[in-house]
Structure formats: C-alpha cells, structure tokens
Amino acid sequence: AHQIAMTYAGGVFMVPLAIGAAAAVRSGTAVGRGDAAGVRRAGLVAVAGAAVVMGVVAALVLTAPRALAAPFTDDDPVLGAAAPLLRVAAVFILVDGVQATLVGALRGAGDTRFAALVTAAGHYAVGLPLGVLLAWPLGFGAEGLWWGLTMGLSVVAGALGHRFCTLTRRAVVTVTSSRAPRGP
C-alpha cells in the first residue's frame, strides 16, 4: 500500500520539478536583467501553474484512490490499505508540487542556502518526529506517518513561499566577480 502511494507521489513529482527548473531559469534571467518584478512574476506564475496541475492530480487521487491502486494489485487487503494512504498522498502531492517549484524560483533568484536549511529542518525536525508520533504512540499507523511527513512538507512550502515573497519585494541585486576569469 505504501509503495503504491509512493509510486504516484514520486511519479507526478517530475511535473513540478520541471516547472521549478523552468522557474529557476526564468527568475535567474530576470535577475540578470535587473528586473525585480520579472523575478516575482516568474516565480508566482510557476507556483500557480504547478499548484493547478498538482491540484488536478490531487483531486483525481482523492476521488478514485481504490481505482488508482487497482492496476498494482488485486489483493483486497492491500487495496483497502492503499486507499487511505492515497488520500493523504493527494494532499502531499499538492504541497510537494508547490515547494518544489518554490525551490526552483529561489534557486533562480540566487537563494539556495535558505531552501536547503528549511527543507532539512522541515523534514527532520517537524515531519519525521510528527509522523513517528502519529504513527506509533497515537496509533494512526502508516496513515499517521504520511500525515506527519505531509505536515512537515507544508511547513517547508510555507517557509519557502514566505521567503520568496519577502525576497522579491526588494530590488534585485546581481552578483558579479571582481576578478577576471582565468583562462588557459
């Protein structure tokens, strides 16, 4: 059941990953032009696009989890266990798409350190402990683990969104080297 949910979450993750790469290029190009509004526009359009695509996927997963699990197995207990995990995965998919796109937009804006730190903190200080707490002491099992990881990912997405909006409110600063490039 867990593998089925991971297959869908991991497979559709390629879409916002690609949108995030495009956001990195578009926002980086705007930084090079000194176009602060362009940096913000590139990031926000990318996030909106990823949210729409992942929202459609999440709605499909929410409405037909058992049907989506059926191609993987005909074992009723596995199908029964996969359906609730896929419902949680639907929320995970949406949030993961937004955060992946924001990482790309921040990368293009030249801010990579914050994304790395907040991602590590969100997953290991929030998501994993919360998932373990929900899964075992509180007795929610695999579904609780997925909810904990989804909540950690939500913290990451929120922090990245806040950072992107904060950074793109001010003027764009391009980084240049004071040293001439060395050649052969």
Side-chain angles (χ1 to χ4, degrees), residues 102 106 111-115 118 157-170:
L102 283 163
L106 284 167
D111 187 14
T112 56
R113 185 173 306 190
F114 180 82
V118 80
L160 293 174
H162 183 304
R163 176 71 166 197
F164 182 77
C165 289
T166 301
L167 284 179
T168 58
R169 280 191 190 112
R170 58 183 185 227

Side-chain angles (χ1 to χ4, degrees), residues 96-166:
D96 200 24
V98 169
Q99 73 84 28
T101 307
L102 283 163
V103 167
L106 284 167
R107 186 178 302 121
D111 187 14
T112 56
R113 185 173 306 190
F114 180 82
L117 293 174
V118 80
T119 299
H123 291 304
Y124 294 108
V126 177
L128 187 59
L130 190 54
V132 168
L133 176 69
L134 289 169
W136 288 285
L138 296 179
F140 290 99
E143 200 173 343
L145 184 60
W146 271 84
W147 276 120
L149 296 174
T150 301
M151 288 179 205
L153 195 57
S154 298
V155 168
V156 171
L160 293 174
H162 183 304
R163 176 71 166 197
F164 182 77
C165 289
T166 301

